[in-house]
Amino acid sequence: MKLLKNRRNIIIIIAIIVIVAVSTFAFLNSRQEINKISYIEFKEQLEKGNIESVNLTNDAELLGTLKSGEMFITDNPRAEGFKERLLSSGVDVGETDGRSTIEDILTMVVVLSAFVGLFYFVSKNSNKLAQKEMTQMSDIDSNGENTSTVVFDDVAGNDEVKECLKEMVDFIREPEKYERYGARMPRGVLLYGPPGTGKTLLAKALAGEAKVPFYAVTGSDFIQVYAGLGASRIRSLFKKARAAGKCVIFIDEIDALGKKRRGGASNGSSDESDRTLNALLTEMSGFKENQGIIVVAATNRIDTLDEALLRPGRFDRQLEVGLPDINARYKILELHSKNKPISKQVDLRKVAYQTVYFSGAKLESLMNESAMLAARYNDSSINMSHIDKAFYTVIAGEEKKDRSYISIEEKKVTAYHEAGHALVTKLTSPLNRVTKISIIPSTKGAGGFSMNIPPDKLYQSKEDILNNIMVALGGRAAEEIIFGKDRVTTGALNDLQKATDMIVSMIARYGMDDSTGLLNFEVLLGDSIGSNSYIIDRARKLIEELYIKTLDLIKENIDKLESIVERLLINETMDEEELNNIISSVA
């Protein structure tokens, strides 16, 4: 920004100089138009007394002015007594040596010389300033004090990743031991997985456990509009790391600079990205054996990374940092409850059971929201009611206080919609839990929600996907059955997005459709799966079949739907126990 500002100031100065020069030139040449007349005509005007003044020079011409103000040029007779004749006729006579034009030329030369000199001075200094700025910008600043106080005991879950990183600690501390066995120290570790799973925390723990400097940057730090600046920053970072000796370099969101190169089809901006990536590849290849420097990178888009980054010798180890399972969630909740006044009645194991698909960051947010709620009400400790409320705040947002604008008709639509989801969940996927149903609108824009929590599973079967699609369609199906096809609402927007994504994945990615066979269409079509007409037609047909099946299922259990809705309209919320009682009691 500073460099851009200086350049803008330089441009302004040059523009001012140009304006001054042009104005000076225009001023020097802004004389009236001068007419040339014959000497005979001059004599006639002199006899008539129309001549105001005459300027005699040593040139062959003389310059004069008529009483009308018009200027003229005529031949200079250079005759004796010519001046006396003019004076006797009442004409003002002046004499010059003919240097006015020369003075004008000299003035212009001086002005232009000053302009060129000033331009040279400004350009020379701006180049020096630009070079200085580029040097400062290329000298990338790592975050913090280059030290990390985080250790592996501060990281819950991801035990397999921690075990692998603990081995890295030994590599850093005692590289000589591995050198005796001829083992090469891994140059890079790539951590990949969903956002919020603890990739940055693990990198800090690696440096903290090894007690070495920690240089943390992000991929976007190296993406610059100035040619060569990104590569210069890469070199500056690794130079600083080599000067420190043993250390951990952490590059977060490495996909920003490590995207796959596009070869000859690339434009100027991707050429700059390629130069930056090439600089990173070169620096990683230039490490000395067992130097004690490890590069740790993090991304949630490993599929976009260039293959040269992933080969052995660059990022030798690629570790998936996934969402925590129930045991890991329990450990994470315990970790984030250490310094909080948790009530003895709080069952963190139960909370861990409810928080399927929660990342470590989301679990931390859950406990933080719980603490904030307890503080808001000045309670002595954090109890289950705080955690339950925080749970739904994290998922759906805060409950809206003012609900006077919601009509009875809209509440009924919401109640049937959410009851449809809950009923289809229980009828198709009995292992799934519906922990809460609500028709209270939230600050995130939801009119209500049905909390469907699937069991912890490593894989999903085709039956699971089809059942989940039916659950997503359950809300729209209930609306159509009760209010008619022409009165369905926009409340199913998010449901249809999920259903479409699941059906397309089943057909085009997982090879679970009999008609398309065991093909992965991403390999064949790349990112254009959604625009393929065959896949669209096949997805539409399967969705229609599943929707009809969902409609029939709800119609067969319409009494259960009505009972759920009746209870929701009275209490606005319902827990799983109530839902199970209604479904089991209604024949």
Side-chain angles (χ1 to χ4, degrees), residues 39 42 46 51 53-65 72 74-87 91-100:
Y39 185 71
F42 168 75
L46 181 64
I51 305 296
S53 63
V54 170
N55 189 23
L56 299 176
T57 69
N58 295 328
D59 298 331
E61 294 179 330
L62 58 85
L63 178 66
T65 306
F72 64 87
T74 189
D75 295 328
N76 187 352
R78 298 182 182 177
E80 276 187 49
F82 181 65
K83 181 177 180 181
E84 289 80 0
R85 183 182 173 189
L86 291 173
L87 291 170
V91 176
D92 292 333
V93 179
E95 292 187 64
T96 63
D97 57 2
R99 292 181 298 178
S100 61

Side-chain angles (χ1 to χ4, degrees), residues 550-561:
T550 306
L551 287 170
D552 293 339
L553 183 63
I554 294 177
K555 287 174 184 177
E556 293 169 4
N557 296 273
I558 194 69
D559 292 340
K560 295 176 181 178
L561 180 74

Side-chain angles (χ1 to χ4, degrees), residues 392 396-422 434-443 445-451 475 479 483 561-575 578:
Y392 299 111
E398 290 274 1
E399 294 180 358
K400 283 192 174 181
K401 303 299 182 185
D402 180 18
R403 302 198 286 274
S404 58
Y405 61 91
I406 303 174
S407 65
I408 298 297
E409 187 66 21
E410 287 177 323
K411 283 186 71 173
K412 285 181 67 176
V413 170
T414 303
Y416 277 106
H417 186 100
E418 302 305 336
H421 284 310
V434 182
T435 57
K436 187 173 183 179
I437 313 170
S438 173
I439 59 171
I440 300 172
S442 73
T443 54
F449 62 88
S450 173
M451 188 62 61
E479 286 185 35
F483 302 104
L561 180 74
E562 294 288 0
S563 298
I564 297 169
V565 170
E566 183 181 353
R567 189 74 58 86
L568 278 175
L569 290 172
I570 296 171
N571 298 329
E572 293 190 324
T573 61
M574 180 185 298
D575 60 23
E578 284 183 280

Side-chain angles (χ1 to χ4, degrees), residues 355-372:
T355 50
V356 180
Y357 298 142
F358 270 49
S359 66
K362 216 167 186 178
L363 291 169
E364 188 278 332
S365 178
L366 170 67
M367 297 310 297
N368 187 60
E369 286 287 343
S370 304
M372 290 172 66

Side-chain angles (χ1 to χ4, degrees), residues 12-24 115 119:
I12 292 172
I13 291 171
I14 292 173
I16 292 172
I17 293 171
V18 171
I19 292 171
V20 170
V22 172
S23 300
T24 304
F115 167 71
F119 179 78

Side-chain angles (χ1 to χ4, degrees), residues 195-244:
T197 49
K199 297 183 287 293
T200 302
L201 196 63
L202 285 165
K204 287 182 178 180
L206 172 61
E209 201 78 33
K211 294 181 173 60
V212 295
F214 179 68
Y215 295 96
V217 294
T218 63
S220 59
D221 290 334
F222 305 100
I223 305 303
Q224 301 292 334
V225 294
Y226 303 114
L229 184 56
S232 179
R233 285 190 157 196
I234 290 282
R235 289 189 288 270
S236 173
L237 173 64
F238 280 83
K239 181 180 178 182
K240 188 179 292 186
R242 288 191 181 92

Side-chain angles (χ1 to χ4, degrees), residues 238 271 351 458:
F238 280 83
D271 284 343
V351 177
L458 188 59

